[in-house]
Every structure is written in structure tokens, then in C-alpha cells.
Amino acid sequence: MSLHATNIDKPIDPITPNTLPDASHDDIAKGLSAIVDHSADSPNVTHHIHTPIQSLINSHWVKSLIPGIEKLAVDYHCGNYVIVRGTTEPFFETMPLYARLGMHLLFYGREQVMLLGTKRVDQLLREQSIKQGQIYDSPKSAASILSFVETYSIQTDELLEPDISKYKNFNEFFSRKLRPDARPIQNEHDKDVIVSAADCRLTVFISVDVAKTFWVKGQNFNVPNLLNLPPTSPRIEPFKNASLAIFRLAPADYHRFHSPIDCEVGDIEHVDGHFYTVNPQAINEPGFDVLTANTRSILYLKHIPTGQLVAYVAIGALLVGSIQWTGGKEKGTILKRGDELGYFAYGGSTIVIVFPKEVVEFDDDLVSNSQKPIETLVKVGYSIGKVTPPL
């Protein structure tokens, strides 16, 4: 991954092209389908869905599919700035090709343009997401693991099974487990500490209104829509004036997710939806709904120290095959902070945790970064806040 340092006080430019004058929507749709198909044949992940945007200048096969695509690499901000926890210097995280293509289709003409004669963008993204999951379930896909490890500098020494030849397919590696000691719980003996649910890029907000000011620009983003509940539902009452933590998992991340609190497992609800990319440029796009439109699975957890309900929303995304619950599938199960709840099959994904107002006070550095706004790179078990003292 190419990382480029920048000054944190420099405005983060979300500029995206309004058009690719040399390419039609059909060209882009065909290109996305072709790179997914190519992932079944090529073991090198940087030669298909993970082609870095900067590499498009020299990628003749991609340019032959999508005329003008190399302009993205030259002229536009095709990635995101992220700051590592405990540092003051952010880095630039490049965007893989599939995310850029998905966003271009969504932002420019999603409601107006019919693709390939009969399909809409929403249908195309769903089909490609399902297809990618099937490709990476195939034993043949195990040949891509080494390239993936090398491309993203994945630390195999922290894996429960460090021998990558033992994984039967790519998705089995993608949902890999870590050694029990690989993600220690920070301040484990302090029962007031709330910890990160995932290896991720994190933003936190004391209220939905603050989240919409700095980060989530979807016009329909609110807690009832996120939880798929009518505004008058009694289940919404505990989440009035709720605080939010948004955990974005990039493709390179460890993709099992964990409990941030000591809790009792409650109900689960699955909500069918779309497969939009969860890249920040999509989340930050004015009027574009991602978090409340995508396929998602909602798990309610009873926070044992306060007795309050917390909503844990696992959200699928472009090329994500599935959301699987493991430790969180049996109602009444008691979990400790850091215990596994589930995992995502292939793709970058997001978890949104909705805390009742009186439950959490987020750590100052995370609040400050989120209001810049910039994501903070954290790992499972890192402190993200403390239980708010009782009034």
C-alpha cells in the first residue's frame, strides 16, 4: 500500500470527477464486471479488483476496458487520509479500483441511467458482490492469498494459523483468526473502559446531529432508519440522543469483529439492502445514503454495567459476500470485552455501534480527529472511551 504523509492541518480534499468524458456508464459497468471475473483467473490481486488507482497509468488491460480511467490516477484524490492512533501525522491510503468504479457509477447517474440496456446500478453492484463471494469461496482462489499478504503487508505471525498454505480458499483466509494474545484489552481491569470492536478506521460522535455535521451526509441517516424501526417504535426510546462509533474495515484488515463491552446478547435482525461502497467518499457524499441503505444485521447487546441496550450494526458493502455471527448468535450469551461476535466475508465493511447517551464518553483524541474530520486507525481492544459517570 502506498502511503504518503501530509500535514494534518491541511484540508482534506474529497474532490471527485463529475464525469469521465471518454467512458460511458456502460463502459464502467462492464469494466467492474470484467475485473471481478478476472479475479477468478489471476492470482495477483493487484491485477484485478485491487489494482491501485495510481497503477492505472501503466495498466493497459484496465485502460482498454474503461477509456479515460487513467485520468483518475492523475487528476483526482483517489484515497483517504487516516491517522494512526497516538501519532499526529496522517497517511494517505490508496483506494482499490473496485471502490472507485462503484462510487463513479453511484454518484453520476444512478437514478437516471440504465446500464447494459436493462440493469440498474443497484442490481449490478448486488450481482457483482455475490459473484465475488462465490469466486473467493472456490478452492482455486487460495492462489490469491500470497499476493494479498504481500500487497497489504499482512502480519502472518499474529495469525492463529500462520501457514497460508493451510487455508482452503481466499475467504477462509480473509476471515482468518488471530492468536488469543494478539489483541490484548487495554486497561482490562478498568470495568468502565469501552474498547474498539474491530481493526478499523474509526470515527466517533456524541450525537447523530454531530455525525451529520462532520461525516455522514446521507439525507435519510437517523437512528430509526439505521435500525429499521418506525420513529414511533418503543425500541427507539433508549436511543434518543444516541452517540455513535463508526468502525470502517478496509480490505486488508482482520475481518472478525468483537464486543466492545461486557454484555448479554439479545435479539438479531437482518435487513436486506444494497451493496454500496462504504468508502468515506461515499459516506461523505451529500444526500447519498449508504449506512441506512446497505444490507445490514443488527444485534442488540445489554450493557451489563449500566443495564442499557446498545445496538451493534454490521453493514455489508460492495463485494462483501456475507455477515456471519459467531459469538453473538445465541440470545442470552454473556460476553466480555474483546470476545468475538462474528466476521465479514470478502470486502471492506463497516460497523456502527449506537450507544444510549448516558453510556459512553469517547476518548478526547478520537473526538478531536473525527471533527477535523479524519479517521483514526485503531485495533481490537484499544480503548475508545469510558462509561459516562451516573448523573
Side-chain angles (χ1 to χ4, degrees):
M1 189 185 309
S2 175
L3 307 180
H4 304 286
T6 183
N7 189 316
I8 194 168
D9 295 321
K10 179 182 178 182
I12 298 171
D13 184 5
I15 190 168
T16 54
N18 290 325
T19 184
L20 276 178
D22 300 324
S24 69
H25 278 74
D26 271 8
D27 289 328
I28 299 170
K30 290 175 182 176
L32 178 61
S33 181
I35 65 170
V36 170
D37 288 341
H38 192 52
S39 70
D41 301 319
S42 173
N44 189 337
V45 298
T46 64
H47 289 176
H48 41 80
I49 58 176
H50 282 284
T51 303
I53 292 294
Q54 285 83 347
S55 299
L56 293 177
I57 299 170
N58 299 316
S59 183
H60 299 294
W61 77 275
V62 175
K63 288 193 290 185
S64 69
L65 290 171
I66 311 168
I69 189 69
E70 70 274 15
K71 294 180 185 293
L72 291 174
V74 176
D75 297 334
Y76 297 99
H77 177 119
C78 292
N80 315 290
Y81 288 105
V82 179
I83 190 163
V84 178
R85 186 91 186 259
T87 72
T88 59
E89 195 69 21
F91 65 82
F92 185 74
E93 184 176 73
T94 60
M95 186 186 304
L97 177 59
Y98 77 84
R100 177 66 263 174
L101 296 181
M103 283 196 295
H104 203 86
L105 287 170
L106 289 168
F107 292 165
Y108 310 114
R110 177 171 65 94
E111 297 299 334
Q112 296 80 19
V113 179
M114 298 294 286
L115 297 173
L116 308 178
T118 58
K119 295 179 182 177
R120 299 195 69 86
V121 172
D122 297 341
Q123 180 185 353
L124 174 79
L125 298 183
R126 176 182 294 274
E127 288 176 354
Q128 297 310 310
S129 297
I130 293 170
K131 186 197 300 181
Q132 189 67 69
Q134 292 170 340
I135 288 171
Y136 278 158
D137 279 338
S138 165
K140 184 179 177 181
S141 67
S144 296
I145 295 172
L146 177 59
S147 170
F148 190 81
V149 168
E150 293 175 343
T151 298
Y152 290 106
S153 302
I154 292 172
Q155 296 176 256
T156 57
D157 60 349
E158 68 179 14
L159 304 186
L160 186 62
E161 176 48 78
D163 183 353
I164 63 173
S165 69
K166 298 288 183 64
Y167 294 90
K168 297 176 182 177
N169 56 51
F170 186 89
N171 258 337
E172 186 173 281
F173 176 79
F174 190 76
S175 58
R176 59 198 176 270
K177 292 187 176 184
L178 302 184
R179 296 193 327 263
D181 61 345
R183 295 291 183 271
I185 303 303
Q186 192 172 13
N187 302 318
E188 183 176 9
H189 299 295
D190 185 345
K191 297 299 183 183
D192 288 339
V193 169
I194 294 173
V195 301
S196 177
D199 284 11
C200 65
R201 294 108 185 91
L202 175 65
T203 48
V204 298
F205 304 98
I206 60 170
S207 70
V208 171
D209 286 343
V210 174
K212 294 179 75 167
T213 298
F214 291 101
W215 196 252
V216 184
K217 302 302 182 181
Q219 61 186 3
N220 295 313
F221 181 76
N222 56 47
V223 171
N225 285 342
L226 180 67
L227 301 184
N228 197 42
L229 293 171
T232 56
S233 169
R235 299 192 71 175
I236 288 297
E237 187 66 28
F239 299 108
K240 288 184 177 179
N241 302 313
S243 301
L244 302 176
I246 303 175
F247 306 80
R248 179 176 69 89
L249 287 69
D253 288 327
Y254 162 66
H255 262 64
R256 289 182 180 261
F257 44 82
H258 298 252
S259 177
I261 55 177
D262 296 333
C263 62
E264 179 181 340
V265 172
D267 294 327
I268 297 176
E269 179 189 3
H270 182 75
V271 182
D272 287 328
H274 299 297
F275 289 85
Y276 301 151
T277 174
V278 293
N279 187 278
Q281 289 186 21
I283 303 296
N284 301 159
E285 181 75 6
F288 181 67
D289 292 291
V290 176
L291 301 180
T292 55
N294 274 19
T295 292
R296 57 201 184 276
S297 194
I298 304 157
L299 172 63
Y300 291 93
L301 303 172
K302 181 179 179 181
H303 184 225
I304 290 173
T306 64
Q308 298 289 326
L309 272 188
V310 171
Y312 192 111
V313 187
I315 302 174
L318 180 59
L319 303 192
V320 173
S322 61
I323 302 165
Q324 299 290 335
W325 296 102
T326 54
K329 63 184 178 182
E330 296 294 336
K331 188 173 181 179
T333 300
I334 302 299
L335 298 175
K336 298 183 296 183
R337 289 167 294 170
D339 285 350
E340 183 182 306
L341 278 173
Y343 65 88
F344 293 107
Y346 182 72
S349 311
T350 288
I351 297 159
V352 179
I353 299 183
V354 186
F355 295 97
K357 185 177 181 181
E358 65 270 24
V359 168
V360 63
E361 181 177 330
F362 293 119
D363 290 344
D364 290 342
D365 64 322
L366 300 176
V367 173
S368 176
N369 288 344
S370 299
Q371 292 182 358
K372 291 188 185 299
I374 190 170
E375 296 170 305
T376 305
L377 191 68
V378 301
K379 293 187 176 183
V380 172
Y382 281 22
S383 168
I384 65 169
K386 282 196 168 187
V387 175
T388 303
L391 298 178

